[in-house]
Amino acid sequence: MTSYQFHISNMHCKGCARKITALFDAEPHVTVTTDVASKLLRLSLADGASLTEQEVSERLAQANYQAEPAVASWHRFSVPDMHCGHCEKSIRAALLDAEQVQVDLESRQVAVLTLLSAEAVRQQINDAGFTAEPIAVEQHRADFEQVKQAAEALVSQTPNGQLESASSAQKLRLFVPEMSCASCVAKIEKAFEAAGVAARVNLADKQVSMENDIAVAQAQQILQTAGYRGELIENAADAIADKAAHDAKEYRTRLIQAAATLGVGVPMMLWGWFGGQMSVDSDAARLGWGLAAILCLILLLDCGGHFFAGAWRALKVKSANMDSLIAVGTGTAWLYSALVVAGPQWFPAGTRHVYFEASLMILGLINLGHALELRARGKTSSAVQQLIGLQANSAYLVTEQGDKEVAIDSIKIGDVLRLRAGDKVALDGEVISGQSLINEAMLTGEPMPVTKTAGDSVSAGTLNGDGSLTYRVTRAQQDTRLAQIIALVQEAQTSKMPIGRLTDKIAGVFVLVVMLLALLAALIWYFVGPQPALSHALVVLTSVLIIACPCALGLATPMSIMVAVGRAAQMGVLIKNGEALQTASKVSCVVLDKTGTVTEGKPQVVAIHCVNAADENTVLQAVASLEQQSSHPLAQSLLQAAQQRQLSVTEVSQFEYRQGQGVVGRLDNGIWLIGNDKLLQAHDVVLDEAVISLRNQATALAQTPVLVAHNGVFSALICISDPIRKDAKAALSLLKQQGKRLVLLSGDNEQTANAVAQQIGIDHVIAGVLPDEKQAWVHKLQQAGEVVAMVGDGINDAPALAAADVGVALGTGTDVAIESADMTLLTPKLENLALGFALSKATLRNIKQNLFGAFIYNSIGIPVAAGVLFPVFGILLSPVIAGAAMALSSLTVVSNANRLRFKKLA
């Protein structure tokens, strides 16, 4: 079907629209559509219509209408209230008529390629419940092929388009060693937001990432305004190594600091427990505790200096963090005790107690807790470390002087490398000569080595067998498929879950609230509490400050996400973000495309039945000539069948693709129809009973019948079979055990789809669906209350993947499908789909456990530290116990998240 679009500047009202429509009433097979608001005229021409674009333009001019061919415009909008994936889907749904829609959640911008005016598009977005403000405009010709090419240019011509798109926008990353708690994260995010920069903060890895359109110096300056320093990360492998070295050094330092402070603090505490004098009531006690004060001060500054330095940095930017709580708590305990020693006469007799041991014990226990947390936290990023460990450090460069071993970062695209037996592939490339078996299990999960010969592609990180080959480098180190997988995993690990947003809000004010509560509790004890009131007030102040733990809150969500995304990557499942991980845990209905998803996607011609004296080779030659113009999945199998018979294709003078029907084309020997029943019925081609019987037999065997007609007469039935994936039945059985409703969605006829469904155990089949109808079926299932996951691999699946609550693409599928998905299966193993859903549910349960523990800990711990148990039980929490509890809370969260690494999923 052909269509023309015109912009008519003087079409002002419905009366104008009626007059314009009347100009074409006499034209057969022409449908006229007008839009007064956008001043658009669209004419859709069916087969048989002879109206040309020039004739339309002349007819409008004769009627005094100022018409120009419509040009699609890029309109860009800022949408500040667009926050999540569901917002994105709502906006895309409102802009279904647009040629192309691009959404950037981080910068909260929407770009739309459409025939409509900017105002009309803005109104559509506003009608969807959002606020849109125009940014810029760029004109493009409204041509379908041009738009399609532009869309495909966004992804690489590689086997995995999502990976290419993920790395094409390189991220600027900074390592922030002083970031220690959720309050730090909140302050850093707030600083970047105030500067108008979209940034992601990863507490677990102590990293901040942002788009690279910001200068390094500017990003570091923004960090400094929040009280932190940032170190540029130039290479992922170096960053992992640097962080490991930093963590190892910090681990040793914290253990030494813990040993020193506990080595002095424990004897002091035992002295008090076993009847030793802990108050200053004599000159001898004053001298002894004076020496203790000096020793404690030295340890306080040496073993707790990092807490005081962090508190000072926060104070300089008028803020507070976990370091502030520890510094104030321990500093207050020491200062009070030092004042008691310096002037005991200044204090009532019952309040001359010293708390030097408390400040040391608190620092010792917290440092010990941090050391244990560092060791446990290092295990959570083991997946990324293993991926980075796959990267080779050197390669053998083929030169005129012979092979030369060189560092990876010195190799350029186009260089020729030699791959020796047992070596890792250094960079992505194309084999020039030689033959070998390559083990790609580390990237694809496939256990069987793959034979590589001249013309085949090889991927960085894969392992060579016994053979030797040379290959030409096609991608730089930062653009290899392995590097892109690492980038995707790291990006997903830094993303946030909707469940964690409440935590983020609490973390932003947590420290300030705790300080106020501590001060309020101390004042109450001082003015209302029993004697010695001053001592009790000091104990309460210190205990509340120390026991509060924003770190546990801050780590509750990101630690679980990091472990889950890493484990998913090891299983061969790439998860785009935390929101997809959370939504996947709620999926109740899994919709599967048939071709290429449930089946192998490599159909073969298994039979050709000719009738009406048609010649088999003539039919196959004509079919192949037309199908080489088509991108349909079955086209390649028809071309291969012709090639096997050494039939050459002929020139095509006319070609038209009919969505959901087939193709119509003209060759030298006449007009050919190739497709399904709908196509033949549209051209009045009748099938006799024998052909119908053959077709029914084919569909009963899960074969796809392709009907061929020549010059209005039925000529042949071509049967194509696409084998079902070996693991499909077992994988879908796992999904059923998880309680998922399974739906097979296919553009094939109902009999073929039902035959496949019976073999794999799917009860609900929706067949004969056009590409745009797939999206509509997804919406229908959602309206019925289902949380829908759509699994597909083709371009025609992209709208349905985007519309689903969770879109799942196969890594062997098209780039556009992968780009539209929330999850990608690197290998076509459907079993990984079931494992991915199980992992998402386990992750959400793990996060809830972490959050529950963190909230309960703070909700109970702070009131207990404030002394709520004292009036009934006479219990006042010791600051030492508060410090131990605080250290234990963070360690518990990290350890619980690590359980996901070993969680049994099936």
Side-chain angles (χ1 to χ4, degrees), residues 703-757:
Q703 298 172 354
T704 300
V706 177
L707 306 177
V708 182
H710 181 214
N711 290 331
V713 178
F714 182 78
S715 299
L717 170 68
I718 302 177
C719 300
I720 299 177
S721 176
D722 186 7
I724 295 172
R725 295 191 186 277
K726 293 180 181 179
D727 70 326
K729 188 170 183 178
L732 298 182
S733 176
L734 279 176
L735 289 173
K736 280 188 172 181
Q737 290 174 19
Q738 293 176 2
K740 305 286 192 294
R741 176 189 178 190
L742 303 181
V743 177
L744 186 66
L745 194 62
S746 175
D748 269 350
N749 63 74
E750 188 172 351
Q751 289 178 308
T752 301
N754 280 328
V756 172

Side-chain angles (χ1 to χ4, degrees), residues 258-281:
T261 49
L262 292 176
V264 177
V266 169
M268 281 188 179
M269 184 179 67
L270 293 176
W271 169 263
W273 281 5
F274 291 106
Q277 188 71 14
M278 297 297 291
S279 59
V280 182
D281 295 327

Side-chain angles (χ1 to χ4, degrees), residues 28-173:
H29 311 298
V30 175
T31 303
V32 181
T33 307
T34 57
D35 186 344
V36 176
S38 56
K39 301 184 183 298
L40 281 178
L41 166 67
R42 183 190 296 269
L43 293 91
S44 301
L45 282 67
D47 290 343
S50 58
L51 193 63
T52 66
E53 188 174 17
Q54 181 63 31
E55 289 173 345
V56 174
S57 182
E58 290 174 354
R59 197 172 298 184
L60 289 168
Q62 290 172 2
N64 296 321
Y65 287 103
Q66 300 168 7
E68 294 180 355
V71 175
S73 303
W74 273 110
H75 303 300
R76 297 187 180 276
F77 301 88
S78 171
V79 188
D81 46 357
M82 176 178 65
H83 301 293
C84 62
H86 288 291
C87 299
E88 176 183 346
K89 289 175 182 178
S90 298
I91 290 173
R92 288 186 182 276
L95 301 173
L96 284 177
D97 293 331
E99 303 285 1
Q100 188 178 346
V101 178
Q102 297 176 359
V103 178
D104 186 345
L105 283 175
E106 288 191 359
S107 62
R108 297 182 183 178
Q109 292 185 10
V110 177
V112 186
L113 179 64
T114 179
L115 297 171
L116 300 178
S117 65
E119 179 57 28
V121 177
R122 188 185 72 82
Q123 189 59 49
Q124 287 182 336
I125 298 175
N126 289 352
D127 290 343
F130 300 88
T131 305
E133 294 298 332
I135 297 177
V137 177
E138 180 182 356
Q139 294 292 324
H140 288 275
R141 181 77 172 97
D143 180 81
F144 173 78
E145 289 301 323
Q146 182 179 352
V147 172
K148 181 180 177 182
Q149 291 171 8
E152 292 178 347
L154 294 175
V155 291
S156 165
Q157 302 300 318
T158 62
N160 198 320
Q162 182 188 15
L163 304 179
E164 184 68 26
S165 64
S167 68
S168 61
Q170 295 292 327
K171 299 284 186 181
L172 172 65
R173 294 180 183 273

Side-chain angles (χ1 to χ4, degrees), residues 175 204 206 242-252 374 377-378:
F175 177 56
K206 298 188 176 183
D242 290 345
K243 182 179 181 297
H246 177 276
D247 287 352
K249 181 181 178 181
E250 187 176 356
Y251 173 73
R252 291 192 298 271
L374 274 171
R377 192 187 296 185

Side-chain angles (χ1 to χ4, degrees), residues 198-358:
R200 283 186 172 184
V201 183
N202 183 351
L203 175 60
D205 274 346
K206 298 188 176 183
Q207 289 186 13
V208 179
S209 64
M210 62 223 81
E211 299 294 342
N212 63 353
D213 55 358
I214 178 176
V216 176
Q218 182 184 354
Q220 290 174 327
Q221 182 60 39
I222 294 172
L223 269 176
Q224 287 176 4
T225 62
Y228 302 89
R229 63 182 178 89
E231 302 170 7
L232 177 64
I233 297 174
E234 296 180 339
N235 179 278
D238 292 343
I240 291 291
D242 290 345
K243 182 179 181 297
H246 177 276
D247 287 352
K249 181 181 178 181
E250 187 176 356
Y251 173 73
R252 291 192 298 271
T253 301
R254 297 293 173 260
L255 283 181
I256 293 171
Q257 290 172 338
T261 49
L262 292 176
V264 177
V266 169
M268 281 188 179
M269 184 179 67
L270 293 176
W271 169 263
W273 281 5
F274 291 106
Q277 188 71 14
M278 297 297 291
S279 59
V280 182
D281 295 327
S282 64
D283 290 340
R286 186 179 181 189
L287 177 61
W289 286 117
L291 293 174
I294 295 172
L295 177 60
C296 289
L297 179 61
I298 294 172
L299 290 173
L300 207 65
L301 296 178
D302 184 55
C303 300
H306 52 290
F307 295 123
F308 289 92
W312 175 245
R313 283 193 303 270
L315 184 62
K316 285 196 296 184
V317 294
K318 301 177 182 178
S319 182
N321 56 17
M322 187 182 69
D323 292 339
S324 305
L325 299 177
I326 298 170
V328 171
T330 57
T332 301
W334 181 89
L335 182 60
Y336 175 87
S337 302
L339 288 174
V340 168
V341 173
Q345 68 276 10
W346 302 335
F347 297 84
T351 63
R352 296 172 185 171
H353 195 284
V354 292
Y355 297 95
F356 293 123
E357 90 290 352

Side-chain angles (χ1 to χ4, degrees), residues 767-839:
V769 180
L770 296 176
D772 56 338
E773 293 176 340
K774 289 185 178 181
Q775 185 182 25
W777 274 105
V778 168
H779 285 312
K780 286 182 182 178
L781 291 168
Q782 289 171 329
Q783 290 168 2
E786 302 281 6
V787 179
V788 178
M790 172 71 194
V791 189
D793 71 325
I795 291 177
N796 59 352
D797 297 323
L801 289 170
D805 296 288
V806 178
V808 183
L810 302 189
T812 53
T814 65
D815 297 342
V816 177
I818 293 170
E819 181 64 22
S820 303
D822 300 304
M823 297 169 62
T824 302
L825 306 183
L826 288 178
T827 60
K829 284 185 175 180
L830 291 177
E831 180 187 7
N832 288 344
L833 177 64
L835 295 178
F837 287 139
L839 178 61

